[in-house]
């Protein structure tokens, strides 16, 4: 059977930074392929380059060498505006610190994501409701972030990140600030949305206990991938 086309292809990617007159080679030639409806995990010690790679995958940054293809879009060649256009509509981000708007309710936060993605207003109400129910916040829709627990805020951030139906969801340590029970809740939501929302999730983690639910684990060390 023919394999489905990859959603994202990383090919021989290198990225260095200049700091204090020195060059640090963070990524030294990475290859990776994400396919539809996968849950992929990225591991490696602090400073190994996980966030650097996620920024390249999401088109927030560009490699010094190598190629990043998001479906048919060559992110390594495209300027910021073109990458931003694709990112807004097709990619979702979840950060460790939730990144919610503090004065907006859970409902309004998710709605804002739809507005930003250019989704027609008539579709907002059912979609916001669906996404908040999906993450188990059907009874907390009108709470503001400060009225929610850390796990609940992270689940609002997930609802916000998937609302515009991205093909790819990038989550940088989404469970790092949660206790193990809330972390497990977030992972259950991730598994559920991979199955029901046609999305591929790539997440970074330090937590060995959640690696077993991954379709694939990429382990970073010294700028390359090593066997986990
Ligand atoms: N914009 C930048 N300028 C200079 N150095 C940078 C920049 N971004 C990242 N680095 C360096 O690149 C290395 C990798 O950083 P990165 O944030 O990707 O690591 P990480 O694997 O995400 O770590 P953590 O687990 O702590 O989040 C670090 O040594 C960092 O100092
Ligand atoms: Mg990081």
């Amino acid at each position: 059977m023919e394999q489905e086309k990859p959603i994202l292809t990383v090919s021989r990617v290198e990225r260095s930074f200049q700091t204090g007159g020195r060059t640090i080679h963070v990524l030294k030639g990475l290859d990776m392929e994400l396919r539809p409806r996968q849950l992929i995990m990225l591991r490696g010690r602090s400073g190994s380059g996980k966030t650097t790679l996620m920024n390249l995958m999401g088109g927030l940054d560009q490699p010094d060498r190598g190629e990043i293809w998001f479906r048919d879009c060559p992110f390594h060649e495209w300027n910021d505006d073109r990458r931003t256009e694709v990112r807004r509509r097709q990619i979702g981000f979840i950060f460790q610190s939730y990144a919610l708007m503090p004065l907006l309710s859970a409902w309004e936060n998710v709605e804002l994501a739809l507005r930003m993605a250019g989704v027609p207003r008539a579709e907002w109400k059912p979609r916001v409701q669906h996404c908040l129910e999906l993450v188990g916040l059907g009874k907390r829709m009108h709470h503001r972030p400060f009225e929610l627990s850390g796990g609940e805020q992270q689940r609002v951030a997930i609802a916000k990140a998937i609302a515009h139906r991205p093909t790819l969801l990038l989550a940088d340590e989404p469970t790092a600030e949660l206790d193990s029970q809330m972390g497990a809740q977030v992972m259950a939501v991730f598994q559920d949305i991979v199955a029901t929302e046609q999305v591929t999730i790539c997440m970074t983690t330090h937590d060995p206990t959640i690696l077993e639910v991954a379709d694939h684990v990429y382990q970073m060390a010294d700028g390359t991938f090593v066997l986990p």
Side-chain angles (χ1 to χ4, degrees):
M1 195 177 80
E2 200 189 337
Q3 266 192 314
E4 280 178 290
K5 275 199 179 163
I7 289 198
L8 190 101
T9 307
V10 170
S11 169
R12 302 183 309 280
V13 158
E14 299 180 29
R15 183 75 174 102
S16 307
F17 296 107
Q18 317 285 340
T19 37
R22 281 186 51 218
T23 304
I24 337 168
H25 299 283
V26 180
L27 308 181
K28 301 179 184 169
L30 295 182
D31 297 294
M32 135 187 240
E33 203 168 73
L34 308 189
R35 296 194 170 273
R37 297 178 306 280
Q38 284 189 321
L39 179 55
I40 302 294
M41 294 199 197
L42 203 54
R43 271 184 101 189
R45 62 167 182 74
S46 180
S48 59
K50 301 180 299 293
T51 298
T52 303
L53 176 58
M54 297 275 260
N55 289 343
L56 295 172
M57 293 166 75
L60 294 167
D61 183 28
Q62 285 186 298
D64 302 316
R65 290 204 182 143
E67 300 180 356
I68 310 263
W69 289 87
F70 176 77
R71 308 174 97 180
D72 297 326
C73 311
F75 275 2
H76 55 289
E77 287 177 352
W78 282 8
N79 67 20
D80 233 343
D81 288 351
R82 277 187 98 177
R83 300 197 310 274
T84 299
E85 182 63 20
V86 173
R87 182 168 63 241
R88 254 193 211 144
R89 291 171 194 280
Q90 300 190 53
I91 301 179
F93 283 93
I94 297 171
F95 303 97
Q96 184 175 344
S97 54
Y98 320 138
L100 299 173
M101 303 295 273
L103 298 178
L104 301 184
S105 68
W107 181 283
E108 290 161 340
N109 263 283
V110 178
E111 205 174 68
L112 180 66
L114 295 174
R115 180 194 299 262
M116 300 284 291
V119 173
R121 187 178 283 261
E123 294 172 26
W124 293 358
K125 193 175 174 195
R127 185 64 184 161
V128 172
Q129 183 152 0
H130 173 77
C131 290
L132 285 171
E133 281 169 0
L134 191 66
V135 298
L137 289 177
K139 294 204 167 71
R140 296 273 191 287
M141 295 200 223
H142 302 292
H143 287 52
R144 290 199 251 165
F146 71 89
E147 298 165 323
L148 297 168
S149 73
E152 288 167 344
Q153 289 179 54
Q154 189 60 300
R155 284 184 280 144
V156 176
I158 295 170
K160 188 175 177 178
I162 62 168
H164 62 304
R165 297 192 168 84
T167 324
L168 176 64
L169 182 60
L170 297 170
D172 202 355
E173 298 195 35
T175 60
E177 289 187 11
L178 306 179
D179 65 29
S180 58
Q181 194 191 339
M182 284 186 187
Q185 267 178 32
V186 166
M187 290 314 302
V189 171
F190 277 4
Q191 287 176 279
D192 191 27
I193 62 182
V194 166
T196 63
E197 296 278 313
Q198 310 290 314
V199 67
T200 288
I201 301 178
C202 180
M203 62 176 282
T204 65
T205 181
H206 283 112
D207 182 352
T209 63
I210 62 179
L211 293 171
E212 56 202 47
V213 302
D215 291 303
H216 193 86
V217 177
Y218 286 95
Q219 169 96 33
M220 295 186 76
D222 198 25
T224 58
F225 289 133
V226 296
L227 285 178

